[in-house]
Amino acid sequence: MNTQASSKTTEQIGLEALPLTSYWTDVMRRFRKNRIAVIGLFIMAAIVILCVGAPLFTDYDPIIDMDFINTLQKPGQNGHMLGTDELGRDIWCRLLYGGRNSLVTGVAVTFFSACAGIVIGLVSGYFGGVIESVLMRFTDIMLSFPFLIIAIAIMAALGSSQKNVILALALVSWPRFARLTRGQVLQIKQLEYVESARVAGFSSTRILFVHVLPNCLGPLIIQGTLAIGSAILSAASLSYLGLGADAAAPDWGVMLSQGRNYLQLAPHLTTIPGIAISLTVLAMNWIGDGMRDAFDPKMRK
C-alpha cells in the first residue's frame, strides 16, 4: 500500500512539473510582459475601432458635407472637434474615414506581398538549384532598386487610385518576404521530420504547406506587422506627392498634401493627419518588436 501511494504521489508530482502551456500560449505570455508592445496593441486597437466604426463617431460625410462659411476653423470651433479644412469639411470625420482607407491599404499590401513572397521563398528554398538561382537573382534585382522610386514609376504609369497604390506597393514589397521565407526554409528542410515526410512519399506541395510553412510563421508574422506600418507610410507618401488616392477621397496622405498650402494659416490641417500616421506606424513597430521578443526571447535586450 505504501509503495502504491508513493508511486501515485510521484506520478502526481511529475504531472505537476510538466509544462501545461503550448508554444503559442508561451508566446502570448511573453508578449504581454512587454509593456511597450501592449501599449502599441491598445493604441492600434483604438485606431481600428475608431476607423472601422467611423459612422458611429461622427455625423458628417467626409466628402459631400462642405461648409464654405466655416472654412479653416480651428479645433473646437463651431462644433468641429478638430476644426475644418479649406472646403469646410470636418477634419475629425475625414481623419476617421481616411484612417479606414489607410488601414485597408496597409493590410492589403501586406497580404498580397506576403502571399507572393512566401510562395517564391518556399519554392526557391525547398527545391534549390536552377529554380532558386533564377528566383533569388530576380529578388536581388528588385531589392537593388529604391523602394519608393519603383512605386512612383508604377503609379505614374497606372494612374492615381487606391487599387493602384495597393498594386504598386505590393509589387515592390514581396522581396522582403521572399528572402525571409527562403532563409527559414533552408534551415527547416534539413530537419528530421521533413526528411521523414519526404521518405513517406508525401508530395512536395504537402510538405511545403503542411510541414515547412507552419514552422516559418513566427518570423513571417513579425515581418507582417512591420510591413503594415511601412505600407501605410509609403501609401501616405505617394498620396502626398499626388500619386496616391484621389484628391477628393478621405486619405491621410491626401490630407497632408492639401494642408501644406495652409501651414501658416491653419497648421492643424497638416499636423493632425501627420500625428495619426506617426502614431499608427509607431504602434505597429512596437507590436512588431514585441512579437520579435515573444517568438525569440534570446533577442530581448
Side-chain angles (χ1 to χ4, degrees):
M1 293 292 294
N2 294 334
T3 304
Q4 293 179 353
S6 176
S7 176
K8 185 176 180 181
T9 303
T10 303
E11 290 178 359
Q12 290 177 347
I13 295 175
L15 289 174
E16 293 176 356
L18 291 175
L20 300 178
T21 57
S22 66
Y23 170 74
W24 291 100
T25 304
D26 290 337
V27 168
M28 295 308 299
R29 176 177 55 80
R30 289 193 292 266
F31 181 84
R32 289 195 299 267
K33 289 184 177 180
N34 191 322
R35 294 182 180 179
I36 297 297
V38 173
I39 292 173
L41 183 61
F42 276 108
I43 293 174
M44 200 64 218
I47 293 173
V48 171
I49 292 172
L50 288 172
C51 294
V52 173
L56 302 176
F57 301 103
T58 179
D59 297 326
Y60 295 98
D61 185 275
I63 299 178
I64 63 175
D65 284 344
M66 303 180 186
D67 185 0
F68 295 105
I69 297 178
N70 297 310
T71 60
L72 301 178
Q73 296 292 303
K74 294 181 180 180
Q77 290 185 340
N78 296 320
H80 297 283
M81 182 169 59
L82 296 181
T84 60
D85 63 7
E86 70 279 7
L87 297 178
R89 295 172 296 190
D90 185 72
I91 293 179
W92 169 249
C93 174
R94 288 181 61 81
L95 189 72
L96 295 184
Y97 282 94
R100 178 187 293 183
N101 291 338
S102 296
L103 291 175
V104 168
T105 299
V107 173
V109 169
T110 302
F111 174 77
F112 290 118
S113 60
C115 289
I118 288 172
V119 171
I120 292 174
L122 286 173
V123 173
S124 61
Y126 183 78
F127 293 102
V130 177
I131 296 177
E132 180 184 20
S133 298
V134 173
L135 292 177
M136 285 300 101
R137 295 302 75 76
F138 180 64
T139 302
D140 292 339
I141 292 173
M142 291 295 297
L143 289 172
S144 65
F145 289 99
F147 174 87
L148 196 57
I149 298 299
I150 302 179
I152 291 174
I154 296 174
M155 288 302 302
L158 298 178
S160 299
S161 71
Q162 186 180 17
K163 292 182 179 179
N164 291 341
V165 169
I166 293 173
L167 177 61
L169 293 179
L171 287 175
V172 297
S173 300
W174 64 264
R176 294 181 177 86
F177 287 95
R179 272 290 180 186
L180 178 61
T181 305
R182 172 183 172 272
Q184 293 295 311
V185 173
L186 290 177
Q187 298 177 12
I188 294 173
K189 74 175 185 179
Q190 306 296 333
L191 299 179
E192 292 181 357
Y193 70 89
V194 177
E195 293 291 339
S196 300
R198 191 181 295 114
V199 171
F202 293 156
S203 65
S204 298
T205 302
R206 179 174 179 177
I207 294 174
L208 283 174
F209 290 98
V210 176
H211 299 281
V212 176
L213 180 58
N215 291 281
C216 301
L217 288 181
L220 291 175
I221 291 174
I222 298 170
Q223 177 62 30
T225 57
L226 298 175
I228 292 176
S230 177
I232 292 174
L233 188 59
S234 299
S237 301
L238 291 175
S239 297
Y240 182 81
L241 296 174
L243 297 171
D246 185 81
D251 182 86
W252 288 345
V254 171
M255 295 174 69
L256 278 175
S257 179
Q258 295 173 345
R260 64 182 175 178
N261 298 320
Y262 305 93
L263 282 176
Q264 295 183 347
L265 183 62
H268 63 281
L269 297 184
T270 301
T271 56
I272 290 175
I275 291 173
I277 294 172
S278 300
L279 192 61
T280 303
V281 175
L282 184 62
M284 291 305 304
N285 288 340
W286 283 350
I287 294 172
D289 288 342
M291 296 299 290
R292 180 201 62 185
D293 293 343
F295 278 103
D296 187 2
K298 293 182 293 185
M299 294 290 293
R300 190 175 303 164
K301 296 181 181 179

